[in-house]
Amino acid sequence: MGGRFDALDSTISPMIENHRRARSRRVALEQRKWLGCSPLCSPMLILLRWRERRALSGLIAVFPSTAEEARSKLIYLMAVMIMDQAPDKLDDVATVVDTLRPYQESLICRLRK
């Protein structure tokens, strides 16, 4: 198989944890103001930001295999967008909507509770 079904074998939880870990490492480094003078700080920050963006891109693109995974993905990405004040790209929001479309009815029922 190809295309959208390639990602069905992966699960959402490890992808969420991967992004959460990358984000927390970046935030921790940014909060260490005394490292600002360090020649290693800038390259490390660049690497951590790249890892965070890569983890988020993978999470955005993956198609959940169950309604529960769809719910986890939706709630986590909503939280990320709120923390970041706005989504980086409107295309990302459109991709998330497309990946969650098969679970639309289930998500609507769950979010109404």
Side-chain angles (χ1 to χ4, degrees):
M1 281 189 227
R4 78 175 223 163
F5 297 104
D6 290 344
L8 285 176
D9 294 332
S10 61
T11 60
I12 300 294
S13 295
M15 296 180 85
I16 289 173
E17 188 55 38
N18 187 27
H19 179 262
R20 184 178 291 143
R21 202 172 28 252
R23 180 182 178 82
S24 67
R25 288 179 181 156
R26 179 203 36 97
V27 169
L29 184 62
E30 286 177 341
Q31 290 176 346
R32 295 180 185 176
K33 298 188 187 314
W34 57 271
L35 282 176
C37 302
S38 170
L40 294 176
C41 186
S42 182
M44 286 174 53
L45 203 50
I46 290 170
L47 175 65
L48 290 174
R49 286 179 182 150
W50 175 80
R51 288 183 68 199
E52 182 183 0
R53 281 192 309 271
R54 185 171 176 219
L56 184 61
S57 294
L59 182 58
I60 287 170
V62 72
F63 280 80
S65 58
T66 66
E68 187 59 34
E69 284 189 351
R71 182 184 156 277
S72 296
K73 177 179 177 174
L74 177 63
I75 290 172
Y76 183 76
L77 290 176
M78 285 171 49
V80 167
M81 288 179 187
I82 290 168
M83 286 188 295
D84 289 343
Q85 301 294 318
D88 288 342
K89 301 175 188 172
L90 289 177
D91 292 341
D92 289 347
V93 174
T95 302
V96 169
V97 169
D98 288 343
T99 63
L100 297 176
R101 195 172 311 281
Y103 303 100
Q104 181 177 355
E105 290 179 27
S106 173
L107 290 172
I108 289 171
C109 290
R110 289 254 176 135
L111 292 174
R112 284 185 181 162
K113 290 183 179 180

